[in-house]
Amino acid sequence: MFDNLLGSFWPYTIDGLILGAIYGLVALGYTMVYGVLRLINFAHSEIFMIGTMASAFVVMTLGFTEPLTGFALVGGLLLMLLAGGAASAGSAMLLERIAYRPLRKRGASRLAALISAIGASLFLQELFALVIIPHVFNRPQQGRNQMGVARIMEKETLFTIGGAQVRVDQVLIFVAAIGMMILLDLLVNRTKIGRGIRATSQDPETAVLMGVDIDKIVRVTFLIGGLMAGVAGALFILQFEVTKFSIGFLLGIKAFTAAVLGGIGNLRGALVGGLFLGLIENYGAAVFGSGWKDVIAFTILVLVLMFRPTGILGESLQQARA
C-alpha cells in the first residue's frame, strides 16, 4: 500500500507543497474575516473563483499561440496577478458592502450573516455560469463546464530533488505565495492599520473608543482577504490552466479546512495548515488512491474539530504582537 508513496515520495511532496501554498493563500481570507467579524465567509470561495476568471481573461486577451518568454512573460505574469488580485479584492469589498454591512449595522445575528454568505456564494456561481462565461468569455456551451486556459510559460525543469523534477513555475508559485504571506504578516504586526485590525479583533467596542474606524477596518480586511484569494487564483491558473464557475467550491472548503487546521484567526496558522493539508492530501492519494483525496481532507477537518478545535498553533489574530 505504501510502495507507491515510498517510490515517489519527492514528487508527491513537491506537488503537495505547491497545492498547500495555494490553500494557504485562500485560507488567509477566511482567517482575516473570522478574526475581525467572527464570521465564516463561505462566499470567499467564489472570490477565489473570480480571481481565476480574471486571470484567464487576461490570458485570453493576450491571444498568444505559444508560451511567452522574456519581458513578454514577465509582463503577462504581472498582468495575471494584478487582474486576479484587483478583481477579487474589488469583489470582496462589494460583497461586504452589499451582503454583510447592512446586517452588521442592524445588529443581525451571526446566523443571518452566515446564511447571507451562502446565498452570495450561490448567486456568484450562477452569475458566472449564466452570464459572465457565455457573454464575456463567449463560451455559451461551457458555462457549466471546465474551461481550459492557454499555457503562458514553458514548464521547464529547474532542478531535481531525490530524482523528482522541480519546475520553474512551481518555484514561482511557492515563492510568490510565501512572499505574499510574509508581507501580510508584516502588515498586520508592524503597521498602524494592522494595529487597528488586531484591536478590532480583540475588542471592537474599546477599539471604537480609542478612535479606530471599524467600517474602514472591515473594508480593509475584506480587501486584503480578496487580494490574497485573487493572487491564489492567478497562481492556480498558472499551475493547472483550467477554471469553471464552481472551481472555488471544493477548493474553498479545503482552504477553510486549512484555516481550521492551522488555527482559525491565525495568519501564520493559515500557512502551516495549508502546507500541511496539501502534503497530507497528496500522501493519502498515493497510499489509498486519488479517489480518496477529498475524503482525506474532510476527515482531517472532522478530526481537528473533535480533538483540537483551536488548530495546530491555536493563536488567534488578536493575540499577535507588534
Side-chain angles (χ1 to χ4, degrees), residues 17-27 48 173 177 181 232-233 235-237 239-240 251 255 275:
L17 289 175
I18 301 306
L19 187 59
I22 295 175
Y23 286 160
L25 276 178
V26 181
F48 164 80
I173 291 170
M181 293 177 189
L235 298 179
F236 183 90
I237 290 294
Q239 171 73 5
F240 298 103
L251 190 142
L275 295 177

Side-chain angles (χ1 to χ4, degrees), residues 115-159:
I115 294 173
S116 180
I118 296 173
S121 174
L122 296 174
F123 169 79
L124 288 172
Q125 284 190 31
E126 294 302 314
L127 176 66
F128 272 79
L130 299 176
V131 179
I132 304 299
I133 295 177
H135 295 91
V136 176
F137 288 85
N138 196 29
R139 299 190 180 185
Q141 302 302 320
Q142 297 188 27
R144 295 186 178 276
N145 297 328
Q146 188 165 278
M147 186 170 62
V149 181
R151 177 169 296 183
I152 192 170
M153 67 181 299
E154 288 288 359
K155 298 187 174 182
E156 300 175 347
T157 300
L158 192 61
F159 58 89

Side-chain angles (χ1 to χ4, degrees), residues 197-267:
I197 291 173
R198 288 185 280 118
T200 303
S201 174
Q202 184 173 9
D203 192 334
E205 290 78 13
T206 303
V208 171
L209 295 176
M210 297 299 291
V212 176
D213 186 342
I214 299 296
D215 287 337
K216 177 182 178 181
I217 292 299
V218 172
R219 288 195 300 270
V220 170
T221 299
F222 274 86
L223 184 149
I224 293 174
L227 177 64
M228 294 295 166
V231 171
L235 298 179
F236 183 90
I237 290 294
L238 182 62
Q239 171 73 5
F240 298 103
E241 300 169 353
V242 294
T243 185
K244 63 183 301 187
F245 79 103
S246 60
I247 196 72
F249 176 73
L250 192 57
L251 190 142
I253 296 177
K254 291 182 180 180
F256 173 68
T257 301
V260 173
L261 179 60
I264 189 71
N266 187 313
L267 298 180

